Amino acid sequence: MARTRKRRLVCGAIAAVMLMGMLAGCGQKQGNGDQITLKIGGWPAPENNQEQYDYYQSTLEKLAEKHPNLAVETDEYSYDIQSFLPRATSGLNPDLFFVPLTEPKKLISTGYIQDISEELSARGYDKAIDEQFLNIVSQDGKIYGVPYSAYMMGLMCNVDMFKQAGLVDENGVPKYPRTYTELAETAKTIKEKTGQAGFAIPSTGTEGGWILMNIAWSNGVNFMEEQPDGTWKSTFDSPEMYETIQYIKDLRWKYNCLPDNVLNGQSEVSKQFGTNQAAMIISSDVVFDTFTQTYKMDRNKLSYTILPAGSKDRCAQIGGSAYLISEGASEEQINASLDWLEIMGYGAELSEELLAQKEEAIKISADAGNVVTRPMLSLWKNEEYTQKINELYDKYTNVDPKLWNADQNMVTLRKEEPMAAQQLYSILSSVMQAVLTDENADINELISTASEQFQKDALNKIES
């Protein structure tokens, strides 16, 4: 039986008959034709983006046509790991909300996320979404969420800085480094020719280790292994990890291609790139607008390609977002949530309605001056689905396609490490800081100590 929660009512653009029902039965989660409520998180604020807000509001009118007995409460709630559990235990989280793809597994384990396998299967999501993304929102054969956006890490390049260094081809396309050794050499040339850093990489907080994973995996690093008894063992005290950290050290002391300040988080690295202080960074394809909107970069001076190859592979971490539904939701609320997602253009089945909704969202983004180009990564198995969506993006593309060519089929896509990833990132950041600030740092000792620390402080505390 669904729980009753006390909520503040925020009225959207809903039919008057719905409003009367809301006043009569606010907060009640009921079915069988009675009044039900659905609280949707992540709602845009009109003062931040009026066009996006209006677009979201228009979806409520369409939802009301499908669910005349539904009262929708909109909430600007943004997921935060620190506040999730206190809010969940108090019944304060929205019924429907989105989180990064790094979060579903840990949230599912709390018991506060609703199993929606039956409803998703009835709509074909289980067969439509690529397994690598479906697995992220699944546990013990049950599905708990709907992935709706995906990215892979790639190499962002500043076209002007490549031109200044004489590193573009006859079509004005940067001569992308295809290996990490080439990246270091390219970055060195750019710094010598322009006086600015050829490459920037974060090294603080959890962000340094997060970006480092792409290089480490490409060099064949294995970070952890599950043991027969269900415990986990740290395994990155290895020659492959030595190679990776030596590379980071060389970027500073051998190639001298980094910014003068090497102790930065990802936001500072993005600023260095966005203000022409660094020619290359490792980044996802969902932050393009940070550079065009925040730092006013010309979008035609941006270029994006696949990450370089390491000594063993060419790996790129994947991420994105998924919608989850809070535990205790009724069947009616679940289906209303899925109907809303389909209205938003996140449905599993290709339809004229879905394509029209998706096109409207793309046009709004283009009209706002955002970078519009094909997504670099697709969630869907159906090639026709992906192609139709790509054709919509092509219709509104506002950048030179030659400068945007990250092919997911050319890289090995990797998910976040299965256990204590954030702690691992933080530990690896400390190792990066040590070799970036001390030319004589002992890499073997640093890695050995880091692996032992990860085992003791993280893996040993995981219940088998």
Side-chain angles (χ1 to χ4, degrees), residues 4 10 22 28 57 66 107 169 243 246 283 291 345 363 437-438 453:
T4 299
V10 180
M22 290 165 65
Q28 297 298 318
Q57 290 295 107
K66 294 177 178 288
L107 299 187
D169 65 17
E243 175 187 9
Q246 182 65 57
S283 176
F291 307 118
K363 184 178 184 301
T437 57
D438 182 1
Q453 180 185 353

Side-chain angles (χ1 to χ4, degrees), residues 32 105 110 129 132 167-168 176 183 206 326 422 437 458:
N32 302 320
K105 291 289 189 186
T110 68
I129 298 174
Q132 65 184 332
L167 294 172
V168 296
Y176 305 118
L183 185 150
T206 59
S326 291
Q422 297 300 315
T437 57

Side-chain angles (χ1 to χ4, degrees), residues 202 204 207 210 264-274 290-291 295:
T204 62
E207 295 163 336
W210 172 57
N264 298 306
Q266 185 68 9
S267 61
E268 180 61 28
V269 166
S270 293
K271 181 179 180 180
Q272 289 168 337
F273 180 84
T290 297
F291 307 118
Y295 300 112

Side-chain angles (χ1 to χ4, degrees), residues 150-164:
Y151 69 78
M152 68 177 184
M153 304 303 287
L155 189 67
M156 185 74 75
C157 301
N158 182 312
V159 177
D160 273 356
M161 294 180 74
F162 270 76
K163 284 182 179 178
Q164 292 172 38

Side-chain angles (χ1 to χ4, degrees), residues 184 187-188 191 199 201 203 245-263 432-440:
K188 181 176 185 292
K191 189 165 188 180
F199 181 59
I201 187 170
S203 61
I245 299 302
Q246 182 65 57
Y247 176 77
I248 298 299
K249 186 176 183 180
D250 287 346
L251 289 173
R252 172 72 190 276
W253 304 106
K254 177 181 177 180
Y255 295 100
N256 187 29
C257 62
L258 300 177
D260 292 337
N261 180 8
V262 293
L263 301 182
M432 294 174 70
Q433 292 167 36
V435 299
L436 288 171
T437 57
D438 182 1
E439 189 173 4
N440 298 313

